[in-house]
Amino acid sequence: MIQYVYIGGGIIALAFVAWLIWFSYRAGKNNASVTTAKAAADSATAITEKAEAMAQAQADKPATEDGVLARLDGGSA
């Protein structure tokens, strides 16, 4: 009779270890997903900032050749 208690305890311990492995796997998978999402958001932010800077440079460009030369001489181009 006592052997059934030992077998039951062993099955419960094995089930706990299996659950712990599954839980750890899911936690690691979720962490990788969050890390990837943060990296994608940082990349998108950098691309957006670069596009905004390009648009601002396009808007601030001089309209004439004399304006270009003046900016080049002034060192602001």
Side-chain angles (χ1 to χ4, degrees):
M1 185 70 165
I2 193 77
Q3 60 196 356
Y4 292 122
V5 173
Y6 290 140
I7 291 172
I11 290 173
I12 289 172
L14 184 62
F16 177 74
V17 169
W19 175 82
L20 192 59
I21 290 170
W22 174 82
F23 182 79
S24 299
Y25 172 75
R26 294 291 297 164
K29 193 173 180 183
N30 288 343
N31 185 31
S33 178
V34 168
T35 303
T36 302
K38 285 182 181 177
D42 291 343
S43 176
T45 300
I47 290 170
T48 302
E49 288 174 355
K50 186 179 286 189
E52 287 174 353
M54 291 170 61
Q56 189 63 44
Q58 182 73 16
D60 292 344
K61 73 177 182 178
T64 64
E65 185 177 338
D66 292 334
V68 171
L69 294 175
R71 279 188 72 183
L72 288 173
D73 287 339
S76 65

